């Protein structure tokens, strides 16, 4: 069977997911059910949304370390405005989303116009957002606004007695839109071109500045949206929410087969990358005797395997080019 | 005068002096140092003592950054080495036994060598980008540290072990001597031998240095091992200072603070040049900043916002584009070409 080499990482990812699901189904009773899959969507809804934003950033050849802090900041702002100032969620949610987008675009502008590495700029953004959470409050703010509790508890029934939460539906919509944007719009093509080679894209006359800033704006927006979904999930705002989340997100994108040097990867791969992370956690909780830190070790191991795989593939490609 | 002004330590020292001056004005007894049972006490000594692990990690990080690399796993190595040492000691029959403590320290340092070598192998032999290669150990290492401590905090009651982090030698905290030793080793190796030049040339252009006969892989490999050892010893200092090991939180965010210290010290993240003394001052600035914020009673979490501005400001100053845009504006305002020429020539 002929298989294009550029599809190998994504095929490996999908096969790995299927394999893990199969192994889980054989080992544990009650694992093989549609609801387990749905729970993966429900419990990782915010991870899907951030991973989508991160995929675009990584495809463009950058990195965004601020996502976890922006999530925390959006939960904090939502909680503070809704609970302590009595604002309506109808104003607060758009406001939070705008804030995330602005935050991202400022970082993007600094990265582009002053030519500082994205790593260090988003690191500053991460400190900044995390610190601003504590400026608002050091304690947890619990949300009991009827809108938020309704969003948290509503279940959308699916055939066969299964159900999905609203957050999961939002996540699915985001993933579908992202796949469309990445592969069927001009912006998506520009992102791939930029990640492939910035110099060439500039010479080709592509709008490098606009694309770069938009990519970080998109990532900021996605993080803020993930923060809103996170508030539905946790029903609280807290400065320590989503600590270390940026690493989970980057890991999900890499496991999804996206090349960290930019320009190569698929949004669908990111989807399965998140699913794999979710299923590791599910397997560990089904196992019962394993502790939560095995998740980290397993993810580290997977990261290693995927990075090595990508390395081998790209090494072979460059060897071909030379010969 | 312009020579002083241009010196790479000028700005970091200014910031440190400004911070210390602020502290002096805020609380006049900030500089007072008292002698108690052969120990020196005072805020300045505290800054040196608590800043020691950070300085150590930052020294290792400087060399890695000089090769155009980065090591994100130092925080996890700090946690693992502290956890291993404390676990070994807590299992022993006599926790004070000198042999046991020495063995546990050697074990922890040996493990850090292995972890550093793992990073070095991935970067130099496998040729993976440093950020990604060390990300693996950052994620998995935290899990390993939690595995070692079983998610608990391991406490040890060993006076010989706690000497490393809180004991004092010749009235000064022992940890300062550890840092000084590491700094001297690094300085001698890089400034008195050609190793420093090799590191810088690899950071500038690995391919060109290989053509010139420098074994780039070996240089990169050894730099990551050095960084791992520094992080491991920092983990020992940190855990022995509080006589316990916490796999979950020990060394959390250390990689970021260390990178920040390196950047403040004037080392560019683009590799190719490094200033070890600058790094040490950078680490001291961070520690003084933290102490200051504690002292004036602002919630310590706000430190993060201040740090964000510091990182951004330092990066902007280092950014060529930003400087030239400022220069351009100033030039336009003054309209004097002569000054500009004179400045460039000097």
């Amino acid at each position: 069977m002929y298989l294009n080499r550029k599809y190998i990482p994504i095929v490996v990812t999908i096969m790995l997911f299927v394999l893990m699901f199969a192994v889980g189904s054989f080992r544990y009773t009650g694992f093989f059910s549609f609801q387990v899959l749905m729970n993966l969507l429900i419990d990782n809804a915010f991870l899907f949304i951030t991973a989508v934003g991160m995929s675009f950033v990584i495809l463009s050849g950058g990195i965004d370390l601020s996502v976890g802090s922006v999530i925390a900041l959006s939960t904090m702002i939502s909680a503070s405005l809704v609970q302590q100032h009595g604002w309506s969620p109808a104003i607060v949610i758009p406001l939070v989303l705008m804030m995330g987008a602005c935050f991202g675009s400022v970082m993007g502008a600094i990265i582009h116009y002053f030519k500082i590495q994205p790593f260090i700029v988003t690191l500053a953004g991460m400190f900044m957002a995390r610190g601003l959470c504590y400026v608002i409050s050091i304690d947890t703010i619990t949300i009991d606004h009827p809108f938020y509790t309704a969003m948290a508890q509503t279940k959308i029934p699916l055939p066969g007695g299964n159900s999905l939460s609203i957050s999961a539906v939002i996540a699915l919509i985001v993933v579908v839109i992202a796949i469309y944007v990445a592969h069927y719009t001009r912006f998506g093509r520009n992102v791939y071109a930029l990640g492939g080679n910035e110099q060439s894209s500039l010479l080709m006359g592509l709008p490098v500045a606009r694309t770069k800033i938009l990519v970080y704006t998109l990532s900021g927006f996605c993080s803020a949206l993930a923060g809103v979904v996170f508030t539905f999930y946790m029903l609280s705002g807290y400065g320590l929410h989503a600590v270390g989340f940026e690493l989970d997100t980057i890991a999900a994108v890499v496991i999804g087969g996206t090349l960290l040097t930019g320009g190569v990867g698929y949004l669908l791969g990111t989807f399965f990358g998140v699913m794999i992370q979710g299923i590791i956690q599910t397997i560990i909780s089904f196992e019962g005797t394993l502790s939560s830190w095995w998740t980290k070790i397993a993810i580290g191991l997977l990261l290693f395997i995927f990075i090595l795989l990508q390395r081998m593939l790209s090494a072979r490609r460059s060897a071909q080019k030379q010969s | 005068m312009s020579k002083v002004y241009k010196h790479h330590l000028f700005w970091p020292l200014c910031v440190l002096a400004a911070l210390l001056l602020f502290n002096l004005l805020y609380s006049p007894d900030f500089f007072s140092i008292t002698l108690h049972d052969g120990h020196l006490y005072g805020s300045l000594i505290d800054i040196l003592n608590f800043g020691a692990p950070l300085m150590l990690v930052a020294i290792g990080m400087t060399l890695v950054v000089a090769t155009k690399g980065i090591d994100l796993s130092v925080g996890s190595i700090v946690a693992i080495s502290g956890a291993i040492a404390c676990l070994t000691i807590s299992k022993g029959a006599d926790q004070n036994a000198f042999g046991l403590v020495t063995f546990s320290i050697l074990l922890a340092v040996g493990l850090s060598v292995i972890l550093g070598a793992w990073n070095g192998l991935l970067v130099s032999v496998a040729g993976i980008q440093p950020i990604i290669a060390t990300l693996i150990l950052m994620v998995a290492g935290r899990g390993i540290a939690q595995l070692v401590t079983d998610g608990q905090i391991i406490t040890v009651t060993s006076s010989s072990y706690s000497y490393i982090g809180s004991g004092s030698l010749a009235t000064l905290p022992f940890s300062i001597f550890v840092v000084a030793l590491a700094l001297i080793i690094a300085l001698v190796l890089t400034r008195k031998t050609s190793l420093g030049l090799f590191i810088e040339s690899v950071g500038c252009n690995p391919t060109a240095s290989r053509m010139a006969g420098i074994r780039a892989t070996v240089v990169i490999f050894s730099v990551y091992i050095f960084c791992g050892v520094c992080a491991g010893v920092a983990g020992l200092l940190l855990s022995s200072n509080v006589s316990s090991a916490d796999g979950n939180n020990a060394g959390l965010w250390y990689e970021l603070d260390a990178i920040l210290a390196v950047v403040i010290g004037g080392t560019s993240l683009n590799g190719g040049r490094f200033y070890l003394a600058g790094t040490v001052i950078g680490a001291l600035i961070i520690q003084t900043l933290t102490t200051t914020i504690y002292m004036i009673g602002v919630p310590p979490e706000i430190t993060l916002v201040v740090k964000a501005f510091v990182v951004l400001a330092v990066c902007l100053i280092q950014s060529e584009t930003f400087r030239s845009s400022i220069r351009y504006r100033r030039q336009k305002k003054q309209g004097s070409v002569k000054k500009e020429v004179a400045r460039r020539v000097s």
Side-chain angles (χ1 to χ4, degrees), chain A residues 113-114 117 119-120 123-124 126-128 130-131 134-135 138 243 247 260-261 293-294 296 300 304 307 311, chain B residues 70 118 126-129 132 135-136 138 146-147 150-151 253 256 269-270 299 301 304-305 308 316 319 322:
Chain A
Y113 289 115
F114 297 127
Q117 289 103 326
F119 175 78
I120 203 88
L123 180 71
M126 167 180 155
F127 281 147
M128 176 85 90
R130 194 66 77 183
Y134 295 111
V135 174
I138 296 179
V243 168
L247 296 176
L260 272 150
T261 40
W293 41 84
W294 282 103
K296 282 184 192 139
F304 172 63
I307 290 166
R311 185 66 206 159
Chain B
I70 207 154
W118 162 261
I128 302 171
Q129 280 164 281
I132 316 308
L135 181 72
I136 299 172
M138 182 187 182
Q146 286 167 337
L147 185 71
D150 211 15
W253 308 129
L256 304 179
L269 281 174
N270 292 324
E301 288 83 3
L304 288 175
V305 181
L316 282 179
S319 153
F322 181 75

Side-chain angles (χ1 to χ4, degrees), chain B residues 204-221:
Chain B
C204 278
N205 193 334
T207 323
S209 6
R210 209 185 60 236
M211 303 288 184
I214 296 169
R215 277 195 256 164
T217 26
V218 177
V219 171
I220 295 178
F221 184 67

Side-chain angles (χ1 to χ4, degrees), chain A residues 137-171:
Chain A
S137 167
I138 296 179
D139 306 311
T140 319
I141 307 175
T142 321
I143 302 177
D144 54 7
H145 191 279
F147 175 75
Y148 280 89
T149 45
M151 290 300 267
Q153 283 157 3
T154 308
K155 282 193 176 144
I156 301 164
L158 292 177
N162 301 302
S163 62
L164 263 184
S165 69
I166 293 179
S167 311
V169 174
I170 298 176

